[in-house]
């Protein structure tokens, strides 16, 4: 039922790209949300939708980023929104996320705050991903 509802929503939205939790995550709800997303995409029969996964700090086992996105322009707003999640530790999780973003920026060479994503194999044309297009639009 969940996958059917999500498939209907995806058909309505016709997304170019979808971002889900990393499927190899230590939290079962994260792994299941990724599985539901992939199943819904299959059910929706949308064709070549780019599929990306995001990691969740140390919970995402064997995560290997393929895309690094500088988020300096929205990092403050992100911190404000993440801080609202009281059930997830609110300000504490916002601080951990901010530190992860700084480390990714430092390690990737993008500088500043950086989010990381992993492309689902075979669904992304090199140089033409949604992230490549966004870079051109934002610069």
């Amino acid at each position: 039922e969940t996958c059917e509802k999500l498939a209907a929503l995806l058909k309505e939205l016709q997304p170019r790209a979808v971002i889900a939790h990393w499927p190899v995550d230590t939290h079962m709800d994260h792994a299941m949300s990724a599985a539901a997303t992939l199943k819904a995409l299959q059910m929706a029969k949308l064709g070549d939708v780019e599929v990306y996964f995001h990691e969740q700090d140390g919970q995402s086992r064997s995560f290997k980023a393929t895309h690094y996105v500088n988020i300096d322009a929205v990092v403050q707003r992100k911190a404000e929104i993440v801080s609202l999640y009281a059930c997830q530790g609110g300000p504490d999780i916002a601080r951990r996320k901010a530190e992860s973003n700084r480390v990714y920026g430092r390690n990737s060479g993008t500088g500043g705050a950086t989010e990381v994503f992993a492309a689902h194999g075979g669904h992304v044309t090199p140089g033409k991903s949604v992230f490549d297009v966004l870079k051109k639009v934002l610069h």
Side-chain angles (χ1 to χ4, degrees):
E1 184 180 317
T2 297
C3 294
E4 288 171 355
K5 288 179 182 177
L6 185 52
L9 180 61
L10 290 167
K11 281 183 184 180
E12 179 185 330
L13 294 173
Q14 295 286 309
R16 173 183 171 160
V18 173
I19 299 171
H21 275 289
W22 180 244
V24 187
D25 198 290
T26 60
H27 284 239
M28 189 56 68
D29 59 329
H30 296 180
M32 291 298 97
S33 70
T37 300
L38 293 173
K39 181 63 178 175
L41 281 166
Q42 183 182 43
M43 293 168 71
K45 298 179 181 164
L46 296 177
D48 286 336
V49 174
E50 295 173 37
V51 177
Y52 299 94
F53 299 107
H54 67 89
E55 62 86 41
Q56 183 60 39
D57 302 326
Q59 300 168 4
S60 299
R61 303 295 182 224
S62 304
F63 184 87
K64 179 158 177 38
T66 58
H67 292 79
Y68 299 82
V69 179
N70 182 293
I71 61 166
D72 283 341
V74 296
V75 73
Q76 182 60 40
R77 183 69 178 133
K78 177 188 174 186
E80 292 167 3
I81 292 169
V82 172
S83 291
L84 297 174
Y85 288 96
C87 68
Q88 299 291 320
D92 288 336
I93 196 169
R95 280 191 291 278
R96 286 196 315 271
K97 291 277 185 202
E99 179 57 28
S100 290
N101 293 145
R102 284 190 296 275
V103 169
Y104 289 134
R106 197 168 44 246
N107 292 344
S108 69
T110 62
T114 300
E115 288 282 351
V116 294
F117 301 91
H120 187 281
H123 291 277
V124 180
T125 303
K128 298 191 185 281
S129 77
V130 71
F131 296 117
D132 295 320
V133 172
L134 286 173
K135 273 187 206 173
K136 291 175 189 168
V137 170
L138 295 173
H139 291 219

